[in-house]
């Protein structure tokens, strides 16, 4: 029996789940083998990613061993991926979030969406 035969993949079902990491509270939804964690801002996403990866053999290892993947999402855009399907690159290492994968396109889209929302809010306030 191989080492992978000893651990069955884990499936997570969510109806009303909230996760708090590094003081950031986030709603969670699931497709069974992939968790989607909605983070309020990009700054919060980086703070959460760093906190998760500072625990030796912590959450990222658990996700990998159980064949789960977690996506941190900001404004509906995936900015970081942890676990079984994460593919960290040089930027993730530079940000200090490896072994998580950082998605620059998602971060740029989330930042643009956030900036647009802030401008819209400001213009509404002026009226």
């Amino acid at each position: 029996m191989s080492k992978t035969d000893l651990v069955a993949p884990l499936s997570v079902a969510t109806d009303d789940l909230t996760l708090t990491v590094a003081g950031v509270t986030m709603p969670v939804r699931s497709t069974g083998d992939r968790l989607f964690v909605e983070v309020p801002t990009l700054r919060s996403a980086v703070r959460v990613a760093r906190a998760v990866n500072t625990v030796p053999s912590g959450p990222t290892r658990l996700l990998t061993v159980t064949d789960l993947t977690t996506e941190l999402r900001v404004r509906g855009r995936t900015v970081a991926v942890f676990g079984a399907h994460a593919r960290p690159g040089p930027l993730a290492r530079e940000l200090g979030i490896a072994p998580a994968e950082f998605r620059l396109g998602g971060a740029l889209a989330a930042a643009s969406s956030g900036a647009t929302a802030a401008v819209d809010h400001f213009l509404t306030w002026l009226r």
Side-chain angles (χ1 to χ4, degrees), residues 32-106:
D33 65 344
R34 192 167 288 252
L35 299 171
F36 298 93
V37 180
E38 295 294 333
V39 186
T41 65
L42 283 174
R43 184 182 309 244
S44 296
V46 171
R47 191 166 74 207
V48 168
R50 285 182 176 157
V52 167
N53 283 324
T54 59
V55 180
S57 299
T60 300
R61 178 158 164 60
L62 175 65
L63 289 168
T64 302
V65 168
T66 57
D67 200 30
L68 284 174
T69 302
T70 298
E71 294 186 16
L72 286 184
R73 298 171 57 88
V74 177
R75 298 187 171 275
R77 308 306 199 293
T78 300
V79 298
V81 179
F82 296 87
H85 295 102
R87 302 293 176 254
L91 190 52
R93 288 187 280 282
E94 185 65 31
L95 290 171
I97 67 168
E101 171 186 346
F102 179 73
R103 294 196 179 165
L104 181 59

Side-chain angles (χ1 to χ4, degrees), residues 4-12 32-33 65-68:
T4 56
D5 292 335
L6 297 175
V7 179
L10 184 63
S11 180
V12 177
D33 65 344
V65 168
T66 57
D67 200 30
L68 284 174

